């Protein structure tokens, strides 16, 4: 009776599930990834009612990867799993999203609140009556947790979780019990959008930090800009682009920051990753007397094995929650407001030109003799020549992740990789999510480079791409196994070998219409060159799948160096 009284007082009653999905639609989600299970089925019925599409994935891990890829293109994503078995299958992908600051709303359909209170011995449980154990596991890879156990506060918890997901740019975890799905909440709240803005910096603090930054910037003789992943994740690319263009300072990106700046600008110099940097970049960055470091993540693979050699005394770090000038840290001062004022007030700066990035291929690597095998030194600059403005490029952990450092992008390219978390197989699921986001936002070309070993972990997601009529171009680098692991340890060890699949046949096995798909086998530079020159191939009018054969022991220089540093670090006693 109490529930009836409460509901009767609502001005515009709406079911909890409908409210949740309406809010997701409001923040930009259009496709919801996941796998159905008996604890989430009724909730899934609400997805089409609010203008969302259900993207049924082949498993929850792939769904998590896909949501990650979708969020990196669209800004935020959602995944629905079922209690226990489903959510645990997804948790690796969501940990990766947490690690790399990717906003994903994870909704878990759970047993009813009555069942949980009664500690019933239900399927998908550990059989011990503990219904909190899986939520506790996810808590450490979520920036907020919302258990919708009571309609009284469900709407408030939903709004808070979605806001935190957006503001902190990390996953959130929401449980939706079966008996709460159809309970009523106040629909009038939907008339007021969730406030996704950060609170402004304290003006006095912000102005002080800006003055300090400008003091060092004007005193510097040869400053440079170094942009990394958190500039993308925390949505300061508008400020970054304006700073790069207005200042004309030599500008570089870290590996995780690929795509964060317009690489067609004359002051773009390439990738800085310590000893793994592009030609001429390491010398220019490390000789600078001031590095404006924006959104840095100084992990091992992002610094070519911690070979990053820039003194903190010559660095100003801009981050989402603080600014650090040399060794003085200013907590609570967000980079966005500071960068905006630095741009407006910086005036004339001292500029020493840096190297200019290019996709030039050396005469030696450009040899096109009959049957000349494809190598990494040739491939990645050639990819840069073939790419188009606004492409989405996904690279897998391994040879592709490191090879793409040598590719200069056209304007507007979005790059997806998982350099920090590094879960092999990630890129195939991420490609599906990115391709879906591209379809929703204007059919940008979506291009995947993945090694054969990684592809075998998540190959099933190609079937989702086919089912959703997505049109990615997929390059599977066929080099007989786990190349990055070979260079870390066990070059000829059997554990780094894989079964040799007929990869392109999977397109037909997964049910692709031959009129809406095409497959290729490329084994020489000339065959690759012919493919890159093929206008129909470049038009990406349907799903295309390329087996790209390369020598087993060939790898990008940066991969070899980073793998050796990783091996050395692993061997420390």
């Amino acid at each position: 009776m109490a529930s009836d009284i409460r509901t009767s007082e609502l001005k515009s009653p709406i079911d909890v599930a409908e409210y949740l999905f309406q809010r997701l639609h409001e923040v930009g989600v259009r496709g919801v990834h996941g796998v159905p299970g008996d604890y989430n089925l009724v909730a899934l019925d609400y997805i089409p009612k609010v203008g969302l599409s259900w993207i049924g994935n082949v498993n929850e891990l792939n769904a998590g990867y896909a949501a990650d890829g979708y969020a990196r293109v669209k800004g935020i994503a959602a995944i629905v799993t079922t209690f226990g078995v489903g959510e645990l299958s997804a948790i690796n992908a969501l940990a990766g999203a947490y690690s790399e600051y990717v906003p994903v709303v994870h909704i878990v359909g759970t047993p009813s609140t009555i069942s949980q209170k009664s500690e019933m011995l239900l399927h998908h449980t550990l059989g011990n009556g503990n219904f909190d154990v899986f939520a506790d596991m996810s808590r450490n890879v979520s920036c907020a947790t919302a258990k919708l156990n009571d309609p009284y506060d469900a709407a408030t918890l939903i709004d808070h979780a979605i806001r935190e997901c957006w503001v902190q740019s990390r996953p959130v975890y929401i449980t939706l019990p079966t008996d709460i799905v159809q309970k009523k909440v106040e629909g009038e709240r939907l008339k007021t959008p969730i406030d996704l803005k950060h609170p402004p910096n304290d003006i006095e603090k912000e102005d002080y930090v800006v003055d300090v930054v400008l003091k060092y910037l004007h005193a510097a003789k040869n400053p440079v800009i170094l942009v990394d992943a958190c500039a993308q994740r925390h949505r300061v690319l508008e400020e970054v682009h304006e700073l790069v263009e207005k200042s004309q300072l030599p500008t570089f990106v870290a590996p995780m920051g690929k795509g964060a700046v317009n690489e067609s600008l004359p002051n773009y110099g390439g990738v800085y990753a310590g000893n793994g940097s592009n030609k001429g970049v390491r010398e220019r960055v490390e000789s600078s007397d001031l590095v404006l470091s924006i959104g840095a993540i100084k992990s091992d693979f992002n610094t070519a094995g911690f070979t990053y050699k820039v003194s903190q005394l010559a660095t100003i770090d801009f981050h989402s929650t603080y600014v650090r000038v040399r060794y003085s840290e200013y907590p609570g001062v967000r980079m966005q407001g500071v960068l905006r004022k630095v741009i407006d007030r910086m005036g004339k700066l001292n500029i020493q030109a840096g190297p200019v990035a290019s996709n030039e291929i050396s005469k030696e690597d450009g040899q096109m003799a009959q049957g000349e095998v494809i190598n990494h030194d040739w491939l990645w600059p050639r990819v840069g020549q073939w790419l188009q403005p606004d492409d989405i490029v996904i690279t897998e952990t391994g040879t592709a992740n490191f090879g793409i450092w040598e590719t200069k992008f056209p304007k507007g390219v979005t790059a997806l990789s998982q350099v920090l978390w590094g879960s092999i197989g990630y890129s195939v699921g991420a490609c599906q999510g990115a391709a879906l986001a591209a379809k929703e936002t204007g059919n940008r070309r979506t291009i995947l480079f993945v090694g054969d070993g990684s592809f075998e972990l998540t190959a099933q997601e190609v079937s989702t791409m086919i089912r959703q009529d997505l049109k990615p171009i997929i390059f599977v680098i066929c080099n007989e196994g786990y190349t990055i692991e070979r260079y870390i340890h066990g070059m000829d060890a059997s554990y780094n070998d894989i079964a040799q699949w007929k990869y392109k046949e999977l397109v037909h096995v997964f049910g692709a219409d031959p009129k809406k798909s095409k497959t290729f086998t490329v084994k020489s530079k000339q065959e690759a060159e012919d493919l890159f020159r093929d206008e129909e191939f470049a038009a990406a009018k349907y799903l295309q799948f390329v087996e790209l054969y390369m020598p087993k022991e060939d790898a990008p220089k940066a991969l070899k160096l980073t793998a050796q540093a990783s091996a050395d670090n692993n061997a420390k006693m």
Side-chain angles (χ1 to χ4, degrees):
M1 190 58 132
S3 177
D4 292 339
I5 293 173
R6 191 196 69 84
T7 301
S8 67
E9 293 177 346
L10 299 175
K11 296 179 181 177
S12 180
I14 185 174
D15 292 359
V16 169
E18 184 172 353
Y19 182 93
L20 170 57
F21 290 123
Q22 284 274 25
R23 283 304 203 192
L24 290 175
H25 188 282
E26 175 191 307
V27 296
V29 174
R30 293 296 180 270
V32 179
H33 292 89
V35 177
D38 61 333
Y39 295 130
N40 65 30
L41 294 176
V42 176
L44 299 184
D45 289 338
Y46 289 82
I47 288 176
K49 293 179 181 179
V50 301
L52 300 176
S53 298
W54 172 248
I55 313 300
N57 300 89
V58 293
N59 61 55
E60 292 87 355
L61 176 61
N62 286 4
Y65 290 151
D68 181 302
Y70 183 94
R72 294 188 195 219
V73 177
K74 281 294 293 282
I76 193 169
I79 174 177
V80 180
T81 63
T82 197
F83 180 73
V85 294
E87 59 181 306
L88 293 190
S89 184
I91 198 170
N92 171 36
L94 292 159
Y98 184 89
S99 170
E100 301 218 348
Y101 292 94
V102 180
V104 178
V105 178
H106 183 196
I107 301 161
V108 181
T110 69
S112 70
T113 57
I114 298 169
S115 298
Q116 293 185 48
K117 289 174 183 176
S118 302
E119 299 183 353
M120 294 180 68
L121 195 63
L122 298 180
H123 62 286
H124 300 341
T125 71
L126 298 179
N128 60 2
N130 184 350
F131 286 86
D132 293 323
V133 62
F134 308 126
D136 291 341
M137 292 179 187
S138 288
R139 196 179 303 278
N140 289 320
V141 291
S142 308
C143 69
T145 298
K147 293 184 177 182
L148 309 183
N149 292 332
D150 189 331
Y152 179 78
D153 60 2
T156 301
L157 292 174
I158 289 168
D159 291 358
H160 173 74
I162 293 174
R163 171 179 160 73
E164 290 304 303
C165 184
W166 180 271
V167 169
Q168 295 193 44
S169 194
R170 275 181 155 162
V172 294
Y173 177 90
I174 299 175
T175 61
L176 181 56
T178 56
D179 60 336
I180 299 296
V181 170
Q182 296 175 306
K183 289 287 174 50
K184 305 296 183 183
V185 294
E186 181 56 79
E188 286 290 304
R189 294 175 61 104
L190 293 172
K191 294 180 179 179
T192 304
I194 299 172
D195 182 6
L196 301 177
K197 297 188 298 294
H198 288 276
N201 291 329
D202 178 275
I203 293 178
E204 188 173 6
K205 285 183 181 179
E206 182 176 89
D207 285 340
Y208 176 79
V209 173
V210 170
D211 288 342
V212 174
V213 169
L214 289 174
K215 181 182 78 170
Y216 287 104
L217 183 56
H218 289 142
K221 302 300 182 186
N222 60 342
V224 300
I225 298 170
L226 179 59
V227 184
D228 207 344
C230 282
Q232 297 162 300
R233 307 294 193 269
H234 295 290
R235 305 177 183 88
V236 295
L237 290 189
E238 181 180 339
E239 288 77 14
V240 167
H241 292 163
E242 192 170 341
L243 176 66
V244 171
E245 293 194 42
K246 186 176 179 180
S247 73
Q248 292 296 301
L249 292 174
T251 298
F252 308 90
V253 295
M256 289 179 72
K258 280 287 287 181
V261 304
N262 178 2
E263 298 187 9
S264 68
L265 290 173
N267 53 324
Y268 173 72
V271 174
Y272 175 69
N275 294 348
S277 303
N278 293 158
K279 185 178 180 181
V281 171
R282 181 174 63 85
E283 295 79 5
R284 181 64 184 88
V285 172
E286 294 176 3
S287 65
S288 172
D289 60 351
L290 183 66
V291 176
L292 301 181
S293 175
I294 305 174
I297 298 178
K298 298 176 185 178
S299 68
D300 52 355
F301 281 14
N302 205 33
T303 60
F306 301 115
T307 58
Y308 192 107
K309 297 183 182 70
V310 177
S311 170
Q312 188 60 46
L313 285 172
T315 303
I316 299 178
D317 287 306
F318 298 88
H319 284 283
S320 60
T321 57
Y322 68 92
V323 173
R324 182 187 295 122
V325 181
R326 305 176 88 181
Y327 282 103
S328 298
E329 187 167 312
Y330 303 95
V333 180
R334 290 179 46 78
M335 60 180 163
Q336 191 164 29
V338 174
L339 287 171
R340 170 51 51 201
K341 289 183 177 177
V342 168
I343 292 165
D344 293 342
R345 302 176 188 177
M346 67 183 170
K348 187 177 180 181
L349 305 175
N350 295 313
I351 299 174
Q352 286 188 17
V356 177
S358 76
N359 286 312
E360 183 179 345
I361 299 171
S362 71
K363 186 175 180 180
E364 180 183 356
D365 289 323
Q367 293 295 323
M368 286 286 180
Q370 185 69 30
E372 183 85 19
V373 298
I374 303 164
N375 61 14
H376 288 281
D377 289 343
W378 176 85
L379 175 64
W380 298 108
R382 185 64 186 90
V383 166
Q385 297 170 10
W386 173 74
L387 290 176
Q388 299 175 5
D390 299 320
D391 280 344
I392 299 170
V393 180
I394 305 104
T395 51
E396 176 62 57
T397 296
T399 53
N401 247 358
F402 289 91
I404 205 71
W405 299 8
E406 302 298 329
T407 300
K408 180 186 176 184
F409 291 156
K411 183 179 181 180
V413 169
T414 299
L416 277 66
S417 62
Q418 204 186 51
V419 176
L420 178 55
W421 185 244
S423 183
I424 63 172
Y426 157 82
S427 67
V428 183
C431 177
Q432 183 266 295
L436 178 68
K439 182 179 179 180
E440 294 175 1
T441 55
N443 274 325
R444 299 163 64 186
R445 288 201 314 179
T446 305
I447 301 154
L448 167 64
F449 292 94
V450 57
D452 49 7
S454 295
F455 179 75
E456 291 189 6
L457 270 76
T458 48
Q460 315 97 308
E461 208 52 36
V462 173
S463 70
T464 308
M465 301 179 203
I466 294 167
R467 181 176 172 223
Q468 295 294 332
D469 194 27
L470 305 179
K471 303 170 183 177
I473 301 174
I474 300 171
F475 291 88
V476 175
I477 299 171
C478 302
N479 55 5
E480 302 179 49
Y482 303 124
T483 300
I484 187 169
E485 271 89 349
R486 293 190 196 282
Y487 274 94
I488 294 174
H489 183 81
M491 179 60 73
D492 298 311
S494 61
Y495 48 72
N496 285 326
D497 297 334
I498 59 170
Q500 298 303 299
W501 292 4
K502 296 179 180 178
Y503 296 98
K504 69 178 185 178
E505 300 304 320
L506 290 174
V507 175
H508 307 300
V509 169
F510 290 145
D513 182 342
K515 296 178 182 178
K516 293 184 178 181
S517 61
K518 200 166 184 179
T519 62
F520 306 85
T521 298
V522 173
K523 293 188 175 182
S524 69
K525 286 182 182 176
Q526 189 58 59
E527 290 175 350
E529 183 68 25
D530 292 344
L531 189 63
F532 287 135
R533 291 177 181 272
D534 186 327
E535 292 183 4
E536 183 181 358
F537 176 73
K541 295 178 180 178
Y542 37 73
L543 183 145
Q544 299 177 104
F545 191 103
V546 183
E547 290 181 348
L548 187 74
Y549 284 83
M550 302 184 74
K552 175 180 174 180
E553 296 184 10
D554 186 41
K557 295 181 180 70
L559 182 148
K560 295 176 183 179
L561 187 149
T562 306
Q564 184 59 55
S566 182
D568 292 344
N569 194 52
N570 291 344
K572 288 179 181 178
M573 304 296 286

